[in-house]
Amino acid sequence: MVREIYQHLYFHSHYSDMLEICAVADPNEQYRNWFSDLAGVPLSRRFANYQDLLAKVKLDAVQVNTPDHLHCGPTVDALKAGLMSWCPSPPPPPSKTPTR
């Protein structure tokens, strides 16, 4: 369901002409290639992990589309890299002992 929602945002909404999908990171090769093919992302900008994407591609911003419990790492790393970062769903509640 989530992938279908983002397809609408990226390709069929009033915001589509303001967005450029220039790289994709997804540990699942099938989904990574499926979405990259839809967005026209070249093979050289398809990554199995977000760390490689952040290290190798010059970006203005990132959208973190991980499951809620995995938002922290990619979001914090993107912010540390000086990027605007957007998580479309709320992060999990803070724990008593921060890990970052």
Side-chain angles (χ1 to χ4, degrees):
M1 180 67 165
V2 170
R3 294 182 196 278
E4 289 80 11
I5 291 169
Y6 291 114
Q7 282 185 65
H8 174 76
L9 173 66
Y10 297 142
F11 306 119
H12 306 291
S13 76
H14 297 300
Y15 302 103
S16 299
D17 62 342
M18 293 184 244
L19 302 172
E20 178 186 6
I21 302 166
C22 55
V24 172
D26 192 319
N28 183 308
E29 183 179 15
Q30 178 183 357
Y31 287 126
R32 179 174 64 245
N33 287 327
W34 168 78
F35 186 77
S36 295
D37 288 345
L38 280 176
V41 175
L43 290 174
S44 64
R45 290 181 168 235
R46 300 177 187 194
F47 301 92
N49 64 70
Y50 75 88
Q51 294 93 338
D52 287 344
L53 183 150
L54 291 175
K56 296 177 181 179
V57 180
K58 185 174 181 343
L59 301 168
D60 296 321
V62 297
Q63 180 169 332
V64 178
N65 293 325
T66 59
D68 290 351
H69 68 284
L70 298 174
H71 283 340
C72 184
T75 302
V76 169
D77 289 346
L79 291 170
K80 285 181 178 179
L83 300 171
M84 298 290 295
S85 183
W86 181 52
C87 290
S89 56
S95 65
K96 291 182 181 179
T97 307
T99 57
R100 287 198 171 247

